[in-house]
Amino acid sequence: MIRNRLAISAFVFLAATAPAFAHLDPGEHGSFAAGFSHPLFGADHILAMVAVGLWAALLGGRALWQVPVAFVGTMMLGFAAALFGAPLPFVEPVILASVVVIGLAAAAALKVPTPAAMAMVGFFAFFHGHAHGGELGEAGAASFMIGFALATAFLHLAGVVIGLGLGRVFGGQLGQMVTRGAGGLTALAGLWLALGA
């Protein structure tokens, strides 16, 4: 009982914190550090990446690693497309939609085949990558890309660990419901961002 209360308290405190959402200017600091910091200081990126991990945890099996890998790989393709000047409309609206849609997939514990989940997150990942590439400017593309890919993978891992951890702490159906609740909170936060709050 005490363990459950501690877990709930820790989750509430983490959810209530608000980091300063600013990062190194990639145009001036096209470095590994700029790339690594970039996804960690944007609420939309953090929420989407953690939601991918939560959904992967709920899907289980090979999806635990294949869904996050699909996101990171396709994100790097989007980054390359931006570097080569390929236009992509509606980048920011689709990024915000990704938070809501993937959060809802986790909230609903949407059971789809792993390739379908990979395709879904891959679609959104392309836009996330394009946004990173569009902000880079002329400096250090390779080191910047490695940095943001690694940070993204860590955020996915955090989502998986949270999803599996909540499932273990609360156990069975309750654990799944709490994990789904975390996905629902992610979707609500995405709506809050989309409405400009």
Side-chain angles (χ1 to χ4, degrees):
M1 189 67 159
I2 292 174
R3 218 169 64 178
N4 288 351
R5 287 181 182 171
L6 287 173
I8 292 169
S9 298
F11 182 76
V12 168
F13 283 122
L14 284 173
T17 59
F21 293 115
H23 41 71
L24 294 172
D25 177 12
E28 294 177 17
H29 305 281
S31 64
F32 176 84
F36 191 86
S37 70
H38 203 261
L40 299 176
F41 293 103
D44 52 353
H45 294 295
I46 292 172
L47 291 168
M49 306 314 149
V50 171
V52 167
L54 287 171
W55 190 31
L58 287 162
L59 288 169
R62 290 183 179 178
L64 276 174
W65 64 271
Q66 288 182 346
V67 169
V69 165
F71 192 103
V72 173
T74 314
M75 183 180 65
M76 292 167 74
L77 291 176
F79 178 80
L83 290 184
F84 285 108
L88 188 65
F90 310 117
V91 171
E92 288 304 319
V94 172
I95 287 173
L96 287 171
S98 73
V99 180
V100 177
V101 171
I102 300 170
L104 286 174
L110 182 64
K111 292 290 185 193
V112 296
T114 299
M118 292 167 67
M120 185 173 136
V121 300
F123 169 79
F124 291 118
F126 194 86
F127 285 82
H128 281 267
H130 198 279
H132 288 310
E135 294 166 351
L136 179 63
E138 297 297 318
S143 57
F144 183 81
M145 181 180 68
I146 292 167
F148 80 71
L150 190 59
T152 297
F154 278 129
L155 288 169
H156 291 327
L157 179 61
V160 168
V161 168
I162 290 168
L164 295 177
L166 290 172
R168 238 178 229 167
V169 168
F170 293 99
Q173 289 291 99
L174 179 59
Q176 187 180 59
M177 291 303 295
V178 173
T179 304
R180 291 174 65 179
L185 288 174
T186 303
L188 286 174
L191 284 173
W192 183 73
L193 287 172
L195 296 173

